[in-house]
Coordinates of all heavy atoms in Angstrom, one line a residue:
G10 N 101.4 -130.7 49.8 CA 100.2 -131.2 50.2 C 99.5 -130.2 51.1 O 100.0 -129.2 51.5
T11 N 98.3 -130.6 51.5 CA 97.5 -129.8 52.4 C 97.9 -130.0 53.8 O 98.2 -131.1 54.3 CB 96.0 -130.2 52.2 OG1 95.6 -130.1 50.9 CG2 95.1 -129.4 53.1
V12 N 97.9 -128.9 54.6 CA 98.1 -129.0 56.0 C 96.8 -129.2 56.8 O 95.9 -128.4 56.5 CB 98.9 -127.7 56.5 CG1 99.0 -127.7 58.0 CG2 100.2 -127.5 55.8
L13 N 96.8 -130.1 57.7 CA 95.7 -130.4 58.5 C 96.0 -130.1 60.0 O 97.0 -130.7 60.5 CB 95.2 -131.8 58.4 CG 94.0 -132.2 59.3 CD1 92.7 -131.5 58.8 CD2 93.8 -133.7 59.2
R14 N 95.3 -129.2 60.6 CA 95.6 -128.9 62.0 C 94.7 -129.8 62.8 O 93.5 -130.0 62.5 CB 95.3 -127.5 62.3 CG 96.2 -126.5 61.7 CD 95.8 -125.1 62.0 NE 96.4 -124.2 61.2 CZ 97.6 -123.5 61.5 NH1 98.2 -123.8 62.6 NH2 98.1 -122.7 60.6
I15 N 95.3 -130.4 63.9 CA 94.4 -131.3 64.8 C 94.6 -130.8 66.2 O 95.5 -130.1 66.6 CB 94.9 -132.8 64.7 CG1 96.3 -133.0 65.0 CG2 94.5 -133.3 63.3 CD1 96.8 -134.4 65.0
V16 N 93.6 -131.2 67.0 CA 93.6 -130.7 68.4 C 93.3 -132.0 69.3 O 92.7 -133.0 68.8 CB 92.5 -129.7 68.6 CG1 91.1 -130.2 68.4 CG2 92.6 -129.0 69.9
S17 N 93.7 -131.9 70.5 CA 93.3 -132.9 71.5 C 91.8 -133.0 71.6 O 91.1 -132.0 71.5 CB 93.9 -132.7 72.9 OG 95.3 -132.8 72.9
L18 N 91.3 -134.2 71.8 CA 89.9 -134.5 71.9 C 89.5 -134.5 73.4 O 90.3 -134.7 74.3 CB 89.5 -135.8 71.3 CG 89.8 -135.9 69.8 CD1 89.6 -137.3 69.3 CD2 88.9 -135.0 69.1
S19 N 88.2 -134.3 73.6 CA 87.7 -134.4 75.0 C 87.6 -135.8 75.4 O 87.6 -136.7 74.5 CB 86.3 -133.7 75.1 OG 85.4 -134.5 74.3
A20 N 87.4 -136.1 76.7 CA 87.2 -137.4 77.2 C 86.0 -138.0 76.5 O 85.9 -139.2 76.1 CB 87.1 -137.4 78.7
G21 N 84.9 -137.2 76.4 CA 83.7 -137.6 75.8 C 83.9 -138.1 74.4 O 83.3 -139.1 73.9
D22 N 84.6 -137.3 73.6 CA 84.9 -137.7 72.2 C 85.6 -139.0 72.1 O 85.3 -139.8 71.3 CB 85.8 -136.6 71.5 CG 85.0 -135.3 71.2 OD1 83.7 -135.4 71.1 OD2 85.6 -134.3 71.1
L23 N 86.6 -139.2 73.0 CA 87.4 -140.4 73.0 C 86.5 -141.6 73.4 O 86.6 -142.7 72.8 CB 88.6 -140.3 73.8 CG 89.7 -139.5 73.2 CD1 90.9 -139.2 74.2 CD2 90.3 -140.1 71.9
I24 N 85.6 -141.4 74.4 CA 84.7 -142.5 74.8 C 83.8 -142.9 73.7 O 83.6 -144.0 73.4 CB 83.9 -142.1 76.1 CG1 84.9 -142.0 77.3 CG2 82.8 -143.0 76.3 CD1 84.3 -141.4 78.5
E25 N 83.2 -141.8 73.0 CA 82.4 -142.1 71.9 C 83.1 -142.8 70.8 O 82.5 -143.8 70.2 CB 81.9 -140.7 71.3 CG 80.9 -140.8 70.1 CD 80.5 -139.5 69.7 OE1 80.1 -138.6 70.5 OE2 80.6 -139.3 68.4
W26 N 84.3 -142.5 70.5 CA 85.1 -143.2 69.5 C 85.4 -144.6 69.9 O 85.2 -145.5 69.1 CB 86.4 -142.4 69.2 CG 87.3 -143.1 68.3 CD1 87.2 -143.2 66.9 CD2 88.5 -143.9 68.6 NE1 88.2 -144.0 66.4 CE2 89.0 -144.4 67.4 CE3 89.2 -144.1 69.8 CZ2 90.2 -145.1 67.3 CZ3 90.3 -144.9 69.8 CH2 90.8 -145.4 68.5
G27 N 85.7 -144.8 71.1 CA 86.0 -146.2 71.6 C 84.8 -147.1 71.6 O 84.8 -148.2 71.2
E28 N 83.6 -146.5 71.9 CA 82.4 -147.3 71.8 C 82.0 -147.6 70.4 O 81.4 -148.6 70.1 CB 81.3 -146.5 72.6 CG 81.5 -146.6 74.1 CD 80.5 -145.7 74.8 OE1 79.7 -144.9 74.2 OE2 80.5 -145.8 76.1
A29 N 82.3 -146.7 69.5 CA 81.9 -146.9 68.1 C 82.7 -148.0 67.5 O 82.3 -148.7 66.6 CB 82.2 -145.6 67.3
N30 N 83.9 -148.3 68.1 CA 84.8 -149.3 67.6 C 84.2 -150.7 68.0 O 84.7 -151.7 67.5 CB 86.2 -149.2 68.1 CG 87.0 -148.2 67.4 OD1 86.7 -148.0 66.2 ND2 88.0 -147.6 68.0
E31 N 83.1 -150.7 68.8 CA 82.5 -152.0 69.2 C 81.1 -152.1 68.5 O 80.3 -152.9 68.9 CB 82.3 -152.0 70.7 CG 83.7 -151.9 71.4 CD 83.5 -151.6 72.9 OE1 82.4 -151.5 73.4 OE2 84.5 -151.5 73.5
S32 N 80.8 -151.3 67.5 CA 79.5 -151.4 66.9 C 79.6 -151.3 65.3 O 80.7 -151.4 64.8 CB 78.7 -150.2 67.4 OG 79.2 -149.0 66.9
E33 N 78.5 -151.1 64.7 CA 78.4 -150.9 63.2 C 79.3 -149.8 62.7 O 79.8 -149.8 61.6 CB 77.0 -150.7 62.8 CG 76.2 -152.0 62.5 CD 76.7 -152.8 61.4 OE1 76.9 -152.2 60.3 OE2 77.0 -154.0 61.6
A34 N 79.4 -148.8 63.6 CA 80.1 -147.5 63.2 C 81.6 -147.8 63.1 O 82.4 -146.8 62.8 CB 79.8 -146.4 64.1
K35 N 82.1 -149.0 63.4 CA 83.5 -149.3 63.4 C 84.2 -148.9 62.0 O 85.3 -148.4 62.0 CB 83.7 -150.7 63.7 CG 85.2 -151.1 63.8 CD 85.3 -152.6 64.2 CE 86.8 -152.9 64.3 NZ 87.0 -154.3 64.8
R36 N 83.4 -149.1 60.9 CA 84.0 -148.9 59.6 C 84.4 -147.4 59.4 O 85.3 -147.1 58.7 CB 83.0 -149.3 58.5 CG 82.9 -150.8 58.5 CD 81.9 -151.2 57.4 NE 80.6 -150.8 57.8 CZ 79.5 -150.7 57.1 NH1 79.6 -151.1 55.8 NH2 78.4 -150.3 57.6
T37 N 83.7 -146.5 60.0 CA 84.1 -145.1 59.8 C 84.6 -144.4 61.1 O 84.8 -143.2 61.1 CB 82.8 -144.3 59.4 OG1 81.8 -144.4 60.4 CG2 82.3 -144.7 58.0
A38 N 85.0 -145.2 62.1 CA 85.5 -144.7 63.3 C 86.7 -143.8 63.2 O 86.8 -142.7 63.7 CB 85.7 -145.8 64.3
G39 N 87.7 -144.3 62.4 CA 88.9 -143.5 62.2 C 88.6 -142.2 61.5 O 89.2 -141.1 61.8
L40 N 87.7 -142.2 60.5 CA 87.4 -141.0 59.7 C 86.7 -140.0 60.6 O 86.9 -138.8 60.6 CB 86.5 -141.3 58.5 CG 87.2 -142.3 57.5 CD1 86.2 -142.5 56.3 CD2 88.5 -141.8 57.0
R41 N 85.8 -140.5 61.5 CA 85.1 -139.6 62.4 C 86.0 -139.0 63.5 O 85.9 -137.9 63.9 CB 83.9 -140.4 63.1 CG 82.8 -140.6 62.2 CD 81.5 -141.2 62.8 NE 81.8 -142.7 63.1 CZ 82.0 -143.1 64.3 NH1 82.0 -142.4 65.3 NH2 82.3 -144.4 64.5
L42 N 87.1 -139.8 63.8 CA 88.1 -139.3 64.8 C 88.8 -138.1 64.1 O 89.1 -137.1 64.7 CB 89.0 -140.4 65.1 CG 90.0 -140.1 66.2 CD1 89.3 -140.0 67.6 CD2 91.1 -141.2 66.3
I43 N 89.2 -138.3 62.8 CA 89.8 -137.2 62.1 C 88.9 -136.0 62.1 O 89.4 -134.8 62.4 CB 90.2 -137.6 60.7 CG1 91.2 -138.7 60.7 CG2 90.7 -136.4 59.8 CD1 91.5 -139.4 59.4
V44 N 87.7 -136.1 61.7 CA 86.7 -135.0 61.6 C 86.6 -134.3 63.0 O 86.6 -133.1 63.0 CB 85.4 -135.5 61.1 CG1 84.3 -134.4 61.3 CG2 85.5 -135.9 59.7
K45 N 86.5 -135.0 64.1 CA 86.4 -134.4 65.4 C 87.6 -133.7 65.8 O 87.6 -132.7 66.6 CB 86.1 -135.5 66.5 CG 84.6 -135.9 66.4 CD 84.4 -136.9 67.6 CE 82.9 -137.2 67.6 NZ 82.1 -136.2 68.1
S46 N 88.8 -134.0 65.2 CA 90.1 -133.4 65.6 C 90.4 -132.2 64.7 O 91.4 -131.5 65.0 CB 91.2 -134.4 65.5 OG 90.9 -135.5 66.3
M47 N 89.7 -132.0 63.6 CA 90.1 -130.9 62.7 C 89.8 -129.5 63.2 O 88.7 -129.3 63.7 CB 89.3 -131.1 61.4 CG 89.8 -132.3 60.6 SD 88.7 -132.8 59.2 CE 88.5 -131.2 58.3
V48 N 90.8 -128.6 63.2 CA 90.6 -127.2 63.6 C 91.2 -126.3 62.6 O 92.0 -126.6 61.8 CB 91.2 -127.0 65.0 CG1 90.5 -127.8 66.1 CG2 92.7 -127.3 65.0
D49 N 90.7 -125.0 62.7 CA 91.3 -124.0 61.9 C 92.6 -123.4 62.6 O 93.0 -123.8 63.6 CB 90.3 -122.9 61.5 CG 89.8 -122.1 62.7 OD1 90.4 -122.2 63.8 OD2 88.8 -121.4 62.5
A50 N 93.2 -122.4 62.0 CA 94.4 -121.7 62.5 C 94.1 -121.1 63.9 O 95.1 -121.0 64.7 CB 94.9 -120.7 61.6
D51 N 92.9 -120.8 64.2 CA 92.6 -120.3 65.5 C 92.2 -121.3 66.6 O 91.8 -121.0 67.7 CB 91.5 -119.2 65.4 CG 91.9 -118.0 64.6 OD1 93.1 -117.6 64.7 OD2 91.1 -117.6 63.8
G52 N 92.2 -122.6 66.2 CA 91.9 -123.7 67.1 C 90.4 -124.0 67.2 O 90.0 -124.8 68.0
R53 N 89.6 -123.4 66.3 CA 88.1 -123.7 66.3 C 87.9 -125.0 65.5 O 88.4 -125.1 64.4 CB 87.4 -122.5 65.7 CG 87.4 -121.3 66.5 CD 86.5 -120.2 65.9 NE 87.0 -119.8 64.6 CZ 87.6 -118.7 64.3 NH1 87.8 -117.8 65.3 NH2 88.0 -118.4 63.1
R54 N 87.0 -125.8 66.0 CA 86.7 -127.1 65.3 C 86.0 -126.8 64.0 O 85.1 -126.0 64.0 CB 85.9 -127.9 66.2 CG 86.6 -128.4 67.4 CD 85.8 -129.4 68.3 NE 86.5 -129.7 69.5 CZ 87.2 -130.7 69.7 NH1 87.4 -131.6 68.8 NH2 87.8 -130.9 70.9
I55 N 86.5 -127.4 63.0 CA 85.9 -127.2 61.7 C 85.3 -128.5 61.0 O 84.7 -128.4 60.0 CB 86.9 -126.5 60.7 CG1 88.1 -127.3 60.5 CG2 87.2 -125.1 61.2 CD1 89.1 -126.8 59.5
G56 N 85.7 -129.6 61.6 CA 85.3 -130.9 61.0 C 83.8 -131.1 61.2 O 83.2 -130.7 62.2
Q57 N 83.2 -131.6 60.1 CA 81.7 -131.9 60.1 C 81.5 -133.3 59.5 O 82.4 -133.7 58.7 CB 80.9 -130.8 59.4 CG 81.1 -129.5 60.0 CD 80.4 -128.4 59.1 OE1 79.7 -128.7 58.2 NE2 80.6 -127.1 59.5
D58 N 80.4 -133.9 59.7 CA 80.1 -135.2 59.1 C 80.2 -135.1 57.6 O 80.5 -136.1 57.0 CB 78.7 -135.6 59.5 CG 78.6 -136.1 60.9 OD1 79.7 -136.3 61.6 OD2 77.5 -136.2 61.5
K59 N 80.0 -134.0 57.0 CA 80.1 -133.9 55.5 C 81.5 -134.1 55.0 O 81.7 -134.4 53.8 CB 79.6 -132.5 55.0 CG 80.4 -131.3 55.4 CD 79.9 -130.0 54.9 CE 80.8 -128.9 55.2 NZ 80.2 -127.6 54.8
H60 N 82.5 -134.1 55.9 CA 83.9 -134.3 55.5 C 84.2 -135.8 55.4 O 85.2 -136.2 54.8 CB 84.8 -133.7 56.5 CG 84.8 -132.2 56.5 ND1 84.3 -131.4 57.5 CD2 85.1 -131.3 55.5 CE1 84.4 -130.1 57.2 NE2 84.8 -130.0 56.0
I61 N 83.4 -136.7 56.0 CA 83.6 -138.1 56.0 C 83.7 -138.7 54.6 O 84.6 -139.4 54.3 CB 82.6 -138.9 56.9 CG1 82.9 -138.5 58.4 CG2 82.7 -140.4 56.7 CD1 81.9 -139.0 59.4
P62 N 82.7 -138.4 53.7 CA 82.8 -138.9 52.4 C 84.1 -138.4 51.6 O 84.7 -139.1 50.8 CB 81.6 -138.4 51.7 CG 80.6 -138.1 52.8 CD 81.4 -137.7 53.9
L63 N 84.5 -137.2 51.9 CA 85.8 -136.7 51.3 C 87.0 -137.4 51.8 O 87.9 -137.7 51.0 CB 85.9 -135.2 51.6 CG 84.8 -134.2 51.2 CD1 85.0 -132.8 51.7 CD2 84.7 -134.2 49.7
L64 N 87.0 -137.8 53.1 CA 88.1 -138.5 53.6 C 88.1 -140.0 53.1 O 89.2 -140.6 53.0 CB 88.0 -138.5 55.2 CG 88.4 -137.2 55.8 CD1 88.0 -137.2 57.3 CD2 89.8 -136.9 55.7
R65 N 87.0 -140.5 52.8 CA 86.9 -141.9 52.2 C 87.6 -142.0 50.9 O 88.1 -143.0 50.5 CB 85.4 -142.3 52.0 CG 84.8 -142.7 53.2 CD 83.4 -143.2 52.9 NE 82.7 -143.5 54.1 CZ 81.9 -144.6 54.3 NH1 81.7 -145.4 53.3 NH2 81.3 -144.8 55.4
N66 N 87.8 -140.8 50.2 CA 88.5 -140.8 48.9 C 90.0 -140.7 49.1 O 90.7 -140.8 48.1 CB 88.0 -139.7 48.1 CG 86.6 -139.9 47.6 OD1 86.2 -141.0 47.4 ND2 85.8 -138.8 47.5
K67 N 90.5 -140.5 50.3 CA 91.9 -140.4 50.6 C 92.5 -141.8 50.7 O 91.7 -142.8 51.0 CB 92.2 -139.7 51.9 CG 91.8 -138.2 51.9 CD 92.7 -137.4 51.1 CE 92.3 -135.9 51.2 NZ 93.0 -135.2 50.2
S68 N 93.8 -142.0 50.5 CA 94.3 -143.3 50.6 C 94.3 -143.8 52.0 O 94.3 -143.0 53.0 CB 95.8 -143.3 50.1 OG 96.6 -142.7 51.1
H69 N 94.2 -145.1 52.2 CA 94.2 -145.7 53.5 C 95.5 -145.3 54.3 O 95.4 -145.0 55.5 CB 94.0 -147.2 53.5 CG 94.1 -147.8 54.8 ND1 93.1 -147.7 55.8 CD2 95.1 -148.6 55.4 CE1 93.5 -148.4 56.9 NE2 94.7 -148.9 56.6
K70 N 96.6 -145.3 53.6 CA 97.9 -145.0 54.2 C 97.8 -143.6 54.8 O 98.3 -143.3 55.9 CB 99.0 -145.1 53.2 CG 100.3 -144.9 53.8 CD 101.4 -145.1 52.7 CE 102.8 -144.9 53.2 NZ 103.8 -145.2 52.2
T71 N 97.2 -142.6 54.1 CA 97.1 -141.3 54.6 C 96.2 -141.1 55.8 O 96.6 -140.5 56.8 CB 96.6 -140.3 53.4 OG1 97.5 -140.4 52.3 CG2 96.4 -138.9 53.9
T72 N 95.0 -141.7 55.7 CA 94.1 -141.6 56.8 C 94.6 -142.4 58.1 O 94.4 -141.9 59.2 CB 92.7 -142.1 56.5 OG1 92.7 -143.4 56.0 CG2 92.0 -141.2 55.4
E73 N 95.3 -143.5 57.8 CA 95.9 -144.2 58.9 C 96.9 -143.4 59.7 O 97.0 -143.3 60.9 CB 96.5 -145.5 58.4 CG 97.1 -146.4 59.6 CD 97.7 -147.7 59.0 OE1 98.4 -147.7 58.0 OE2 97.4 -148.7 59.7
A74 N 97.8 -142.7 58.9 CA 98.8 -141.8 59.5 C 98.1 -140.7 60.3 O 98.6 -140.3 61.4 CB 99.7 -141.2 58.4
M75 N 97.0 -140.2 59.8 CA 96.3 -139.1 60.5 C 95.8 -139.6 61.8 O 95.9 -138.9 62.8 CB 95.2 -138.5 59.6 CG 95.7 -137.8 58.3 SD 94.5 -137.6 57.1 CE 93.5 -136.3 57.8
V76 N 95.1 -140.8 61.8 CA 94.6 -141.3 63.0 C 95.7 -141.6 64.0 O 95.5 -141.3 65.2 CB 93.8 -142.6 62.7 CG1 93.4 -143.4 64.0 CG2 92.5 -142.3 61.9
K77 N 96.8 -142.1 63.6 CA 97.9 -142.4 64.5 C 98.4 -141.1 65.1 O 98.7 -141.1 66.3 CB 99.1 -143.1 63.8 CG 98.8 -144.6 63.5 CD 99.9 -145.2 62.8 CE 99.6 -146.7 62.6 NZ 100.8 -147.4 61.9
A78 N 98.5 -140.0 64.3 CA 98.9 -138.7 64.9 C 97.9 -138.2 65.9 O 98.3 -137.7 67.0 CB 99.1 -137.7 63.7
I79 N 96.7 -138.4 65.7 CA 95.6 -137.9 66.6 C 95.7 -138.7 67.9 O 95.6 -138.2 69.0 CB 94.2 -138.0 66.0 CG1 94.1 -137.0 64.8 CG2 93.1 -137.8 67.0 CD1 93.0 -137.3 63.9
L80 N 95.8 -140.0 67.8 CA 95.9 -140.9 69.0 C 97.2 -140.5 69.8 O 97.1 -140.4 71.0 CB 95.9 -142.3 68.6 CG 94.6 -142.9 68.0 CD1 94.8 -144.3 67.6 CD2 93.5 -142.7 69.0
K81 N 98.3 -140.3 69.1 CA 99.5 -139.9 69.8 C 99.4 -138.6 70.5 O 99.8 -138.4 71.7 CB 100.7 -139.9 68.8 CG 102.0 -139.6 69.4 CD 103.1 -139.7 68.4 CE 104.5 -139.3 69.1 NZ 105.6 -139.4 68.1
L82 N 98.8 -137.6 69.8 CA 98.5 -136.3 70.4 C 97.7 -136.4 71.7 O 97.8 -135.6 72.6 CB 97.8 -135.4 69.4 CG 97.4 -134.0 69.9 CD1 98.6 -133.2 70.2 CD2 96.6 -133.3 68.9
N83 N 96.8 -137.4 71.7 CA 95.9 -137.6 72.9 C 96.5 -138.5 73.9 O 95.8 -139.0 74.8 CB 94.5 -138.1 72.4 CG 93.7 -136.9 71.8 OD1 93.1 -136.2 72.5 ND2 93.8 -136.8 70.5
G84 N 97.7 -138.8 73.8 CA 98.4 -139.7 74.8 C 98.1 -141.1 74.7 O 98.3 -141.8 75.7
M85 N 97.6 -141.6 73.6 CA 97.3 -143.0 73.5 C 98.4 -143.7 72.8 O 99.0 -143.2 71.8 CB 96.0 -143.2 72.8 CG 94.8 -142.5 73.5 SD 93.3 -142.6 72.6 CE 92.8 -144.3 73.0
N86 N 98.7 -145.0 73.2 CA 99.7 -145.8 72.5 C 99.2 -146.2 71.2 O 98.1 -146.6 71.0 CB 100.1 -147.0 73.4 CG 100.8 -146.6 74.6 OD1 101.5 -145.6 74.7 ND2 100.6 -147.4 75.7
V87 N 100.1 -146.1 70.2 CA 99.8 -146.5 68.8 C 100.6 -147.7 68.5 O 101.9 -147.6 68.4 CB 100.0 -145.4 67.8 CG1 99.6 -145.8 66.4 CG2 99.2 -144.2 68.2
S88 N 100.0 -148.8 68.2 CA 100.7 -150.0 67.8 C 101.1 -149.9 66.3 O 100.3 -149.6 65.5 CB 99.9 -151.3 68.0 OG 100.5 -152.4 67.5
T89 N 102.4 -150.2 66.1 CA 102.9 -150.2 64.7 C 103.0 -151.6 64.1 O 103.4 -151.7 63.0 CB 104.3 -149.5 64.6 OG1 105.2 -150.1 65.5 CG2 104.1 -148.0 65.0
E90 N 102.7 -152.6 65.0 CA 102.8 -153.9 64.5 C 101.5 -154.4 63.9 O 100.4 -154.0 64.4 CB 103.1 -154.9 65.6 CG 104.5 -154.8 66.2 CD 104.8 -155.8 67.3 OE1 104.2 -156.9 67.2 OE2 105.5 -155.5 68.2
K91 N 101.6 -155.2 62.8 CA 100.4 -155.7 62.2 C 100.0 -157.0 62.9 O 100.9 -157.7 63.4 CB 100.6 -156.0 60.7 CG 100.6 -154.7 59.9 CD 100.5 -155.1 58.4 CE 100.2 -153.9 57.6 NZ 98.9 -153.9 57.0
A92 N 98.8 -157.3 62.9 CA 98.3 -158.6 63.5 C 98.9 -159.7 62.8 O 99.1 -159.7 61.5 CB 96.8 -158.6 63.5
K93 N 99.3 -160.8 63.5 CA 99.9 -161.9 62.8 C 99.0 -162.6 61.8 O 99.5 -163.2 60.8 CB 100.4 -162.9 63.8 CG 101.5 -162.4 64.7 CD 101.9 -163.5 65.7 CE 103.1 -163.0 66.5 NZ 103.6 -163.9 67.5
N94 N 97.7 -162.4 61.9 CA 96.8 -163.1 61.0 C 96.4 -162.2 59.8 O 95.6 -162.6 59.0 CB 95.6 -163.6 61.7 CG 95.9 -164.7 62.7 OD1 96.8 -165.4 62.5 ND2 95.1 -164.7 63.8
D95 N 97.0 -161.0 59.7 CA 96.7 -160.2 58.5 C 97.2 -160.7 57.2 O 98.1 -161.4 57.1 CB 97.3 -158.8 58.7 CG 96.4 -157.9 59.6 OD1 95.3 -158.4 60.0 OD2 96.8 -156.8 59.9

C-alpha cells in the first residue's frame, strides 16, 4: 500500500476541526483533518483541498484508521467503542 506521512497539527488547526464538527462541514471534517496532516519526507505540508475528493473514494475503514492515528499523534483520546444506538 501507499505510505502516508502525518504530522502534529497546530492548535489553530485542531480548533478549526473541532468547530467544523459542529456545522455543515461535519461530513468532511475527518477528510480535512487528514489533508491538514499530510506531509512529504521532509515534513513539508502537502495536503490540499483537491485531495478531499480523492479521499472520499477510499474505504471508510481506511479513512477512519487515518483519523484515529492523527488524533492519537496529537494527544487526543480516541474512542474505540461504537455508540449504543448505532
Side-chain angles (χ1 to χ4, degrees):
T11 302
V12 174
L13 175 68
R14 295 177 192 267
I15 57 174
V16 68
S17 290
L18 297 170
S19 69
D22 288 337
L23 287 172
I24 290 168
E25 181 182 312
W26 176 73
E28 288 173 350
N30 281 333
E31 299 169 3
S32 69
E33 272 295 308
K35 182 176 182 176
R36 290 179 291 167
T37 60
L40 301 180
R41 286 183 290 102
L42 189 67
I43 294 168
V44 167
K45 285 187 174 285
S46 299
M47 293 168 50
V48 294
D49 65 13
D51 295 320
R53 290 185 299 254
R54 293 183 189 264
I55 58 172
Q57 299 176 8
D58 286 345
K59 68 181 182 181
H60 293 113
I61 292 173
L63 300 172
L64 290 167
R65 282 183 183 221
N66 292 326
K67 298 285 184 193
S68 74
H69 175 70
K70 185 176 181 179
T71 299
T72 57
E73 182 179 44
M75 294 164 75
V76 169
K77 285 182 180 181
I79 292 164
L80 293 175
K81 184 176 179 182
L82 177 66
N83 284 279
M85 299 178 76
N86 291 331
V87 179
S88 174
T89 56
E90 290 184 33
K91 287 195 167 244
K93 291 183 179 181
N94 293 332
D95 278 356

